[in-house]
């Protein structure tokens, strides 16, 4: 295990976080929130000191990074970001309890959107900005950001990218990892700026537009109003609906569009499965809601918004969907598990894994009926490698095991089964709001400190897709290789 390289990289990540804190510091100063500004200044200064210390201690290092170092770097980086990112909330008094602040920060960086705040409107502007900006940082991944702006020292940073980016397979879209990271972030930033402009055109202030665009881009869902997006115009709700769906698409497809490989982009099997799931879910909910709202247009808008919000694991809401009929709520619960496309900012299992699972089941059934037949599973027009199929199956099994374990722990709390199950599903799949006591107009405030830490762990597991965090906790990962 190359410990010096691990802590060197952590130092750079902490340094980047310190620099990023200058943005909420500036917002606090603009609005005259000097106590909040001081909190960010002190935290940023402390983070820079830690970063400098780690750099000095690791100057003479072996620059090689292999797969296990990549997993450990990603896990420790996200834990460090959350631990340091929670400090300004405590110092400013916006969230006095460190456990609550840690939960809120983990929820922000993992783009979950689960909150312990009963009234989000009491936050200072600087704290609200940092809370939502953490979605933007975590959406594409802060380590991907680091690779985009800092030179790749040994060419092995693909191990970090694969450990952090969501999906069963992550590859470079151009030969150099640094260039891949730059392309992804440029697309990400460009789409966010377009959304900000469109929301400003719809009547939102620049601050509100930025906050909600950060939440949409990272598919996180933190807002600044108690009713989430419900108080904004239908135009703004439709804009956010469209952009939630766009950010739930594999970003590699946007790159293919940029280089004018339109056929390759539109032929994506995962994309069409994603579109089909969304369309079918919206249609089913519209029919199920019936005359619940005054007009068909309103019913369609709320249905489309909530489907987009849940399948992309954003977590915004325009209405209290906990009041919807059971069938509609069941659809939303299933969408929590499906999630968006691989290579997007969305959480969940990912559409590609769901498609691969059904194809593998179909293949196994055929093999049982026709034992001598040669069957292959194809995905995106190519025969699927057996190792990928096995990996997807293993991931599903591990996912189910961990989900069950977390659900059991959460069930010790004095809440009903619907609350416990949906809280586990919402945090593990990085959705945010669940049903009943953790519904869209409720919060996670009533959970004990221990359970909040367990749910924070669940959010990190879901965002990092299990392996980085689990491997970091296994002692053999840290063992030295025998010569």
């Amino acid at each position: 295990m190359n410990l010096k390289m691990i802590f060197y990289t952590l130092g750079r990540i902490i340094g980047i976080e310190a620099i990023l804190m200058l943005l909420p510091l500036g917002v606090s100063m603009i609005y005259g929130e000097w106590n909040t500004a001081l909190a960010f200044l002190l935290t940023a200064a402390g983070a820079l000191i830690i970063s400098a210390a780690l750099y000095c201690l690791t100057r003479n290092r072996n620059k090689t990074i292999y797969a296990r170092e990549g997993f450990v770097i990603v896990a420790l980086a996200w834990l460090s970001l959350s631990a340091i990112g929670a400090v300004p909330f405590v110092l400013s008094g916006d969230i006095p309890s460190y456990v609550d602040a840690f939960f809120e920060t983990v929820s922000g960086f993992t783009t979950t959107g689960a909150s312990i705040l009963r009234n989000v409107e009491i936050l200072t502007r600087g704290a609200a900005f940092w809370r939502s900006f953490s979605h933007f940082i975590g959406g594409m991944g802060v380590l991907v950001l680091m690779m985009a702006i800092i030179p790749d020292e040994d060419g092995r940073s693909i191990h970090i990218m694969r450990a952090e980016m969501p999906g069963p397979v992550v590859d470079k879209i151009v030969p150099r990892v640094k260039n891949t990271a730059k392309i992804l972030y440029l697309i990400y930033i460009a789409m966010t700026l377009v959304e900000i402009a469109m929301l400003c055109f719809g009547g939102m202030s620049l601050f509100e537009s930025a906050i909600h665009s950060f939440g949409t881009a990272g598919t996180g869902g933190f807002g600044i109003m108690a009713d989430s997006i419900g108080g904004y115009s239908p135009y703004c709700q439709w804009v956010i609906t469209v952009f939630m769906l766009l950010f739930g698409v594999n970003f590699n497809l946007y790159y293919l569009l940029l280089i004018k490989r339109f056929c390759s982009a539109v032929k994506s099997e995962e994309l069409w499965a994603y579109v089909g799931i969304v369309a079918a879910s919206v249609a089913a909910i519209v029919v199920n809601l019936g005359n619940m709202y005054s007009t068909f247009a309103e019913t369609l808008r709320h249905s489309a918004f909530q489907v987009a919000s849940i399948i992309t694991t954003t977590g915004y809401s325009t209405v209290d969907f906990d009041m919807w009929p059971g069938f509609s709520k069941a659809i939303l619960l299933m969408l929590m598990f499906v999630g968006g496309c691989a290579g997007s900012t969305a959480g969940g299992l990912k559409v590609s894994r769901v498609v691969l699972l059904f194809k593998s089941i179909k293949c196994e059934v055929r093999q049982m009926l026709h034992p001598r037949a040669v069957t292959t599973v194809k995905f995106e027009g190519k025969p699927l490698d057996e190792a990928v199929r096995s990996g997807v199956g293993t991931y599903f099994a591990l996912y189910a095991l961990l989900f069950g374990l977390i659900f059991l722990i959460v069930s010790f709390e004095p809440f009903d089964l619907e609350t416990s199950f949906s809280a586990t599903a919402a945090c593990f799949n990085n959705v945010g709001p669940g049903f009943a006591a953790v519904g869209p107009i409720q919060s996670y405030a009533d959970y004990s400190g221990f359970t909040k830490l367990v749910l924070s762990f669940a959010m990190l597991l879901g965002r990092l897709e299990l392996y980085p965090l689990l491997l970091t906790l296994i002692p053999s990962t840290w063992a030295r290789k025998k010569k």
Side-chain angles (χ1 to χ4, degrees):
M1 180 67 74
N2 189 348
L3 293 177
K4 283 194 173 182
M5 193 59 192
I6 289 172
F7 288 107
Y8 170 75
T9 308
L10 284 179
R12 294 200 295 181
I13 290 295
I14 292 170
I16 290 173
E17 183 177 27
I19 294 170
L20 291 173
M21 281 188 181
L22 296 179
L23 286 172
L25 170 62
V27 171
S28 299
M29 293 176 69
I30 289 170
Y31 287 98
E33 300 165 347
W34 303 112
N35 187 50
T36 304
L38 180 61
F40 280 107
L41 180 62
L42 291 174
T43 307
L48 284 174
I49 291 171
I50 295 171
S51 177
L54 289 174
Y55 175 79
C56 292
L57 291 170
T58 56
R59 279 181 296 181
N60 301 319
R61 64 190 180 280
N62 175 3
K63 298 178 181 179
T64 304
I65 295 177
Y66 292 105
R68 67 171 178 169
E69 280 89 357
F71 284 121
V72 171
I73 286 170
V74 167
L76 293 182
W78 282 73
L79 285 168
S80 301
L81 284 169
S82 301
I84 294 171
V87 174
F89 291 120
V90 179
L91 293 181
S92 66
D94 283 283
I95 305 177
S97 165
Y98 183 79
V99 171
D100 284 352
F102 181 75
F103 179 94
E104 200 80 6
T105 309
V106 170
S107 181
F109 279 118
T110 59
T111 73
T112 303
S115 180
I116 51 82
L117 295 171
R118 299 181 192 275
N119 181 13
V120 69
E121 296 173 18
I122 64 171
L123 288 177
T124 57
R125 292 295 183 107
F129 183 90
W130 175 241
R131 181 172 174 263
S132 291
F133 189 56
S134 64
H135 282 335
F136 185 78
I137 298 168
M140 189 61 68
V142 71
L143 286 142
V144 176
L145 172 62
M146 183 195 76
M147 286 184 279
I149 62 179
I150 297 177
D152 181 11
E153 297 194 44
D154 71 341
R156 295 177 185 266
S157 295
I158 187 63
H159 293 305
I160 296 177
M161 180 176 277
R162 284 175 176 159
E164 185 177 47
M165 290 292 285
V169 179
V170 174
D171 287 311
K172 296 178 282 186
I173 57 179
V174 291
R176 288 177 60 81
V177 175
K178 180 179 176 64
N179 292 338
T180 297
K182 278 184 176 179
I183 290 167
L184 290 173
Y185 251 99
L186 285 173
I187 295 170
Y188 186 54
I189 292 170
M191 290 173 64
T192 305
L193 291 175
V194 171
E195 185 183 0
I196 290 174
M198 293 184 70
L199 289 176
C200 284
F201 180 77
M204 282 191 187
S205 68
L206 180 59
F207 180 79
E208 290 173 317
S209 298
I211 290 290
H212 293 108
S213 294
F214 292 155
T216 307
T219 60
F222 278 153
I224 54 173
M225 297 294 180
D227 61 354
S228 189
I229 311 297
Y232 293 102
S233 67
Y235 167 84
C236 290
Q237 292 176 6
W238 274 117
V239 168
I240 292 174
T241 299
V242 170
F243 275 93
M244 285 190 294
L245 292 172
L246 290 176
F247 280 108
V249 172
N250 191 326
F251 273 66
N252 287 1
L253 299 185
Y254 295 130
Y255 175 71
L256 292 176
L257 291 175
L258 285 176
I259 61 175
K260 299 181 179 180
R261 290 177 57 184
F262 301 109
C263 291
S264 299
V266 299
K267 285 182 181 178
S268 169
E269 193 173 346
E270 183 184 32
L271 174 64
W272 286 108
Y274 174 65
V275 171
I277 292 169
V278 170
S281 300
V282 171
I285 290 176
V286 166
V287 172
N288 186 236
L289 292 181
N291 298 321
M292 189 170 183
Y293 298 102
S294 57
T295 64
F296 174 78
E298 186 179 3
T299 303
L300 177 62
R301 173 163 45 87
H302 292 317
S303 301
F305 188 97
Q306 289 312 146
V307 167
S309 179
I310 298 301
I311 194 170
T312 62
T313 68
T314 304
Y316 281 139
S317 61
T318 54
V319 292
D320 183 6
F321 56 78
D322 197 34
M323 304 301 293
W324 284 3
F327 179 71
S328 294
K329 289 168 64 177
I331 291 174
L332 294 181
L333 182 62
M334 292 175 68
L335 293 179
M336 285 185 186
F337 290 92
V338 174
C341 298
S344 71
T345 61
L349 285 166
K350 303 297 179 298
V351 173
S352 57
R353 283 199 182 95
V354 175
V355 172
L356 288 175
L357 178 67
F358 278 102
K359 286 196 169 193
S360 296
I361 292 172
K362 184 179 178 181
C363 180
E364 291 297 326
V365 171
R366 281 184 180 177
Q367 193 70 44
M368 292 173 67
L369 294 174
H370 308 284
R372 296 182 180 180
V374 178
T375 57
T376 58
V377 176
K378 288 188 176 183
F379 185 68
E380 303 292 7
K382 299 176 183 178
L384 197 64
D385 186 84
E386 186 60 34
V388 176
R389 280 184 61 190
S390 176
V392 170
T394 303
Y395 184 89
F396 269 102
L398 185 58
Y399 175 95
L401 179 64
L402 290 170
F403 182 91
L405 179 61
I406 294 167
F407 172 55
L408 285 175
I409 296 172
V410 172
S411 296
F412 277 107
E413 294 282 344
F415 295 107
D416 57 40
L417 189 65
E418 183 181 11
T419 297
S420 299
F421 187 86
S422 65
T424 305
C427 289
F428 200 33
N429 293 304
N430 305 128
V431 177
F435 299 108
V438 291
I441 62 171
Q442 306 295 333
S443 75
Y444 289 74
D446 291 329
Y447 278 106
S448 66
F450 174 74
T451 301
K452 286 172 185 172
L453 292 176
V454 170
L455 290 174
S456 298
F457 183 73
M459 288 186 268
L460 287 165
L461 276 173
R463 173 58 182 85
L464 301 181
E465 305 220 318
L466 311 185
Y467 294 112
L469 208 55
L470 291 180
L471 290 173
T472 302
L473 296 174
I474 296 174
S476 59
T477 303
W478 299 85
R480 293 179 179 272
K481 291 184 178 179
K482 294 182 179 180
K483 295 183 179 179

